[in-house]
């Protein structure tokens, strides 16, 4: 991946204007606003919208009106703002699970704030050790990072150069509005039928952003994501449905979704576990060099000359901040368990597990983007491991699931923040920003968002309720990931988890690793890394189909342009991502304000 060209000379100055008071204030306001909107969207539909591009667009409009704005200052604003969405994702996927488990009353402000702050700190800063490995050495696509960079550059250039971005944004916004606001166009096309005792189902999302992401990441990765989805829905579900005759009472779409959510999805969980370990092992060299260089610079008393575009926070600052998060985790675990030794062991273990989670989540973001990063899949892996350890430790079932969810909240927030942080660093890489400035910015946004997440969650839960829990009314929030987390935690202590599906996913991933090694030794251009396939196994088929279709459009480019992330095609794709994200935030705000959407209800 070549760096984008055309950045203004000002962005390459020795000390460009990046972190300014107005950028911090505007970024924090947007972080709180977009974080609240995404908290509702996530609880309502199980999806969040990346806040980076909407924040970048708003920032460019506001700072241009104030005058004297730079592309790097706008980049700082979107970096701070995007942290609100990431903290919201970590919180909504886990804390409402406590309500599902039977907790009554408001979620404690102290617990939610401290755990969000701990996870956000780890996720924001541990990626410092991964930045060079993933962005510079590995050159992962980071589709939304590239798209956001194009938006910033087009906004700075203005004029005719921004036309593809504008047309893409208008087209995507019109499609999204017709779906979410008007209700004239469905969100997906799908079909399912019974074939004897087996159910066969397929779907394709009607989206502008997903094909654009496929266009950005290219055919190689998109085809692997599609392969995982096709195996899950066209092979695994038909096979498993034959052993569940009770599902014949359901219509085929409901039966297929039930098998996918209860069993097949766990193939992806097992594959992600192996894929994460394989990824860390394959990148052990770059990551080890980054850690070694950081330690060497921390020990030396001499000031080394480092280019501005390669300046990170110091190792001392990163490890010191992460160390401050450990007492917060310890205090909450001690309140829940009453065991000093267990709480200390869990707090220290989560610091190491946090690095594992950030490494996986950051890699996944590099493949499919921040909006499609399956953070819940990473969290389930960790939640399974923690719950099993707690059960082996002898923690009673009365507090075990609650304690596991608490630990999972830290990891989920860290994983969401890691994906967001690396996405922002990838954007910064393309606009020649200073990594240290972005690392400070994202931490500021994350900590500020942590302070208000408990009131936002309690307001939504009190106003709408969680579907399936006592007192929930019509139109209650579905909170699908929270239900999944609660089920996993309960399943470990009370039984019922599909361990066979998890084991099958592990075996499938091991086979892919073996094939990938063979292809690597033969020098093949086409490889089979596990993580894209695991994403396809875990996510709905419609998403992988839409991404794959978008990647096919890139094949129409000239041979020399296929591996180049530049040009009007990419700018149009960035506009598609931006338009859908902006309209998604707008529709969420309308629903939060009390408007019943879509207007054309079936």
């Amino acid at each position: 991946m070549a760096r984008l060209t055309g950045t203004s000379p000002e962005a390459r100055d020795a000390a460009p204007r990046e972190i300014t008071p107005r950028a911090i204030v505007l970024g924090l306001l947007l972080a709180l606003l977009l974080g609240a909107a995404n908290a509702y969207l996530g609880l309502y539909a199980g999806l969040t919208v990346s806040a980076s591009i909407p924040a970048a667009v708003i920032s460019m409009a506001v700072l241009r009106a104030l005058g004297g704005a730079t592309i790097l200052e706008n980049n700082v604003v979107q970096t701070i703002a995007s942290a609100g969405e990431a903290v919201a994702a970590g919180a909504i996927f886990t804390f409402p699970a406590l309500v599902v488990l039977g907790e009554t009353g408001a979620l404690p402000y102290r617990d939610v704030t401290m755990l969000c702050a701990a996870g956000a700190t780890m996720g924001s800063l541990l990626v410092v050790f991964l930045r060079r490995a993933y962005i510079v050495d590995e050159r992962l696509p980071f589709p939304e990072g590239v798209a956001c960079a194009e938006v910033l550059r087009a906004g700075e250039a203005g004029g005719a150069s921004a036309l593809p971005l504008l047309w893409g944004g208008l087209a995507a916004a019109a499609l999204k509005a017709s779906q979410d606001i008007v209700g004239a166009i469905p969100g997906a096309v799908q079909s399912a039928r019974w074939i004897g005792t087996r159910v066969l189902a397929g779907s394709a999302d009607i989206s502008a952003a997903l094909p654009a992401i496929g266009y950005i990441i290219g055919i190689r990765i998109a085809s692997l994501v599609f392969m995982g989805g096709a195996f899950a829905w066209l092979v695994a579900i038909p096979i498993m449905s034959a052993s569940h005759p009770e599902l014949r009472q359901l219509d085929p779409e409901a039966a297929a979704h039930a098998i996918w959510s209860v069993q097949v999805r766990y193939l992806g969980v097992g594959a992600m576990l192996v894929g994460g370990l394989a990824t860390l092992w394959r990148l052990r060299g770059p990551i080890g060099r980054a850690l070694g260089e950081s330690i060497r610079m921390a020990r030396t008393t001499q000031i080394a000359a480092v280019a501005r575009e390669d300046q990170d926070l110091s190792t001392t600052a990163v490890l010191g901040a992460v160390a401050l998060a450990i007492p917060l985790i310890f205090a909450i675990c001690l309140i829940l368990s009453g065991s000093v030794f267990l709480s200390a062991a869990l707090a220290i273990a989560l610091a190491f597990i946090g690095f594992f989670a950030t490494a996986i989540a950051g890699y996944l973001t590099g493949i499919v983007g921040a909006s499609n990063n399956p953070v819940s899949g990473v969290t389930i892996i960790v939640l399974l491991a923690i719950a099993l350890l707690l059960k082996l430790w002898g923690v009673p079932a009365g507090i075990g699931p609650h304690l596991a969810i608490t630990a999972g909240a830290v990891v989920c927030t860290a994983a969401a923040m890691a994906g967001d942080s690396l996405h922002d660093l990838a954007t910064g890489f393309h606009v020649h920003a200073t990594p240290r400035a972005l690392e400070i910015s994202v931490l500021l946004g994350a900590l500020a968002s942590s302070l208000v997440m408990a009131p936002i969650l309690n307001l939504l839960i009190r106003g709408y309720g969680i579907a399936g829990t006592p007192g929930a009314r019509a139109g209650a929030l579905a909170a699908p990931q929270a239900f999944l987390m609660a089920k996993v935690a309960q399943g470990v202590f009370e039984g019922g988890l599909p361990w066979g599906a998890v084991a099958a996913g592990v075996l499938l991933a091991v086979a892919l690793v073996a094939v990938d090694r063979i292809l690597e030794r033969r020098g093949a251009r086409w490889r089979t890394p596990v993580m894209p396939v695991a994403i396809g196994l875990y996510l709905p088929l419609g998403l992988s189909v839409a991404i794959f279709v978008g990647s096919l459009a890139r094949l129409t480019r000239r041979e020399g342009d296929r591996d180049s992330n530049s040009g009007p095609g990419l700018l149009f794709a960035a506009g598609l991502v931006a338009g859908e994200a902006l309209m998604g935030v707008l529709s969420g705000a309308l629903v939060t304000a009390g408007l019943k959407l879509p207007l054309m209800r079936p």
Side-chain angles (χ1 to χ4, degrees):
M1 180 193 302
R3 286 196 181 199
L4 303 177
T5 58
T7 303
S8 66
E10 182 180 21
R12 302 182 186 181
D13 290 346
R17 187 164 65 252
E18 291 187 73
I19 300 182
T20 62
R22 65 181 187 178
I24 293 174
V25 172
L26 180 57
L28 290 177
L29 289 175
L30 290 175
L32 301 181
L33 176 64
L34 297 176
N38 272 288
Y40 174 79
L41 288 175
L43 288 173
Y44 179 73
L47 299 171
T48 57
V49 178
S50 176
S52 294
I53 292 176
V57 174
I58 297 172
S59 172
M60 287 187 292
V62 173
L63 294 185
R64 179 172 294 175
L66 295 176
T70 69
I71 188 174
L72 300 188
E73 191 178 19
N74 282 313
N75 189 41
V76 164
V77 173
Q78 71 85 13
T79 297
I80 297 174
S82 65
E85 175 260 332
V87 173
I92 63 176
F93 291 168
T94 50
F95 288 115
L98 300 176
V99 179
V100 178
L101 290 174
E103 182 167 308
T104 58
L107 296 172
Y109 178 84
R110 176 201 59 202
D111 296 8
V112 173
T113 302
M114 290 173 64
L115 293 173
C116 282
T121 300
M122 290 194 295
S124 300
L125 298 183
L126 288 176
V127 296
V128 170
F129 302 122
L130 303 171
R131 180 188 67 84
R132 174 167 289 278
Y134 285 2
I135 298 174
V136 181
D137 297 334
E138 188 71 7
R139 298 294 178 93
L140 295 178
F142 285 99
E144 285 171 326
V146 172
C148 191
E150 286 283 7
V151 169
L152 290 168
R153 293 176 63 244
E156 182 189 40
S161 63
L163 285 179
L165 176 75
L166 176 63
W167 289 118
L170 291 175
L175 175 61
K176 190 68 172 174
S178 66
Q179 291 173 321
D180 292 359
I181 297 179
V182 180
I185 298 177
V189 291
Q190 49 195 7
S191 178
R193 64 178 58 188
W194 287 102
I195 302 177
T197 60
R198 304 177 189 276
V199 64
L200 185 65
S203 65
D205 284 11
I206 300 176
S207 165
L210 291 175
I213 288 175
Y215 182 89
I216 294 171
I217 67 177
I219 187 67
R220 298 178 188 175
I221 294 176
S223 62
L224 291 171
V225 176
F226 175 73
M227 183 175 73
F231 180 84
W233 286 84
L234 305 181
V235 178
I237 288 178
I239 291 175
M240 292 184 178
S241 62
S243 60
H244 292 277
E246 71 279 3
L247 294 178
R248 293 299 301 274
Q249 302 174 7
L250 304 175
D251 66 79
E253 286 185 7
H257 188 271
I259 296 173
W260 171 76
S261 61
V262 175
Q263 287 190 317
V264 173
R265 199 174 194 183
Y266 288 89
L267 288 172
V269 173
M272 281 185 196
L273 176 60
V274 175
L277 294 173
T279 298
L280 288 176
W281 177 255
R282 184 169 60 85
L283 296 177
R284 66 190 184 281
I287 293 174
R289 287 193 295 272
L291 290 172
E293 180 66 15
S294 298
I295 294 173
R296 185 189 67 78
M297 293 181 64
R299 289 179 175 177
T300 185
T301 57
Q302 298 178 347
I303 300 177
V306 180
R308 177 185 61 79
E309 297 173 6
D310 204 32
Q311 292 175 359
D312 290 295
L313 284 171
S314 68
T315 302
T316 303
V318 172
L319 296 182
V322 173
L324 291 176
I326 295 178
L328 300 181
I329 304 172
F330 169 78
I332 300 300
C333 292
L334 180 61
I335 293 172
L336 293 175
S337 67
S339 170
V340 174
F341 186 75
L342 173 61
S343 301
L346 194 55
I348 295 173
L350 283 176
F352 290 97
I353 293 173
F355 182 74
F356 171 78
T358 57
I360 296 179
Y363 192 88
L364 295 176
T365 301
I367 295 174
V368 295
S371 294
N372 302 302
N373 182 12
V375 171
S376 58
V378 178
T379 306
I380 288 173
I381 293 172
V382 175
L383 192 63
L384 276 171
I386 292 174
L388 286 170
L389 290 174
L390 291 176
K391 186 175 181 179
L392 292 174
W393 193 286
V395 175
I399 64 170
H402 194 123
L403 194 57
I405 292 293
T406 297
V410 176
V411 174
C412 191
T413 306
M417 281 304 310
D420 173 76
S421 299
L422 280 169
H423 154 83
D424 292 327
L425 288 169
T427 299
F429 173 78
H430 290 299
V431 299
H432 307 286
T434 308
R436 180 171 58 194
L438 302 184
E439 290 154 6
I440 294 172
S441 299
V442 78
L443 181 60
L444 288 175
L447 293 177
S449 301
S450 299
L451 295 174
V452 300
M453 200 48 58
I456 291 172
L457 286 176
N458 285 321
L459 178 65
L460 291 172
I461 293 173
R462 184 169 60 251
Y464 293 91
I466 302 294
T469 61
R473 56 178 176 80
L477 301 169
Q481 284 88 351
F483 265 95
L484 184 60
M485 302 299 171
K487 183 174 181 180
V488 168
Q490 281 183 321
V492 170
F493 285 89
E494 301 174 9
L497 277 180
W499 293 109
V502 175
V506 169
L507 293 176
L508 177 62
V510 169
L512 287 172
V513 170
V515 172
D516 189 57
R517 289 295 302 275
I518 294 173
L519 293 174
E520 182 182 15
R521 290 173 181 172
R522 293 180 177 179
R525 292 188 63 189
W526 197 274
R527 301 277 297 280
T528 59
V530 175
M531 294 306 275
V533 180
I535 293 171
L537 289 169
Y538 183 79
L539 295 176
L541 177 63
L543 184 147
S544 59
V545 170
I547 290 176
F548 180 66
V549 170
S551 72
L552 295 177
R554 188 158 181 165
L555 294 178
T556 62
R557 299 173 68 178
R558 294 192 304 270
E559 182 67 29
D561 294 337
R562 290 180 187 174
D563 295 326
S564 175
N565 277 319
S566 60
L570 178 70
L571 197 57
F572 183 77
L576 293 175
V577 176
E580 183 164 315
L582 284 168
M583 190 54 63
V585 172
L586 175 60
S587 63
L590 292 175
V591 174
T592 303
L595 186 64
K596 301 296 183 182
L597 298 180
L599 299 175
M600 295 174 54
R601 287 178 174 270

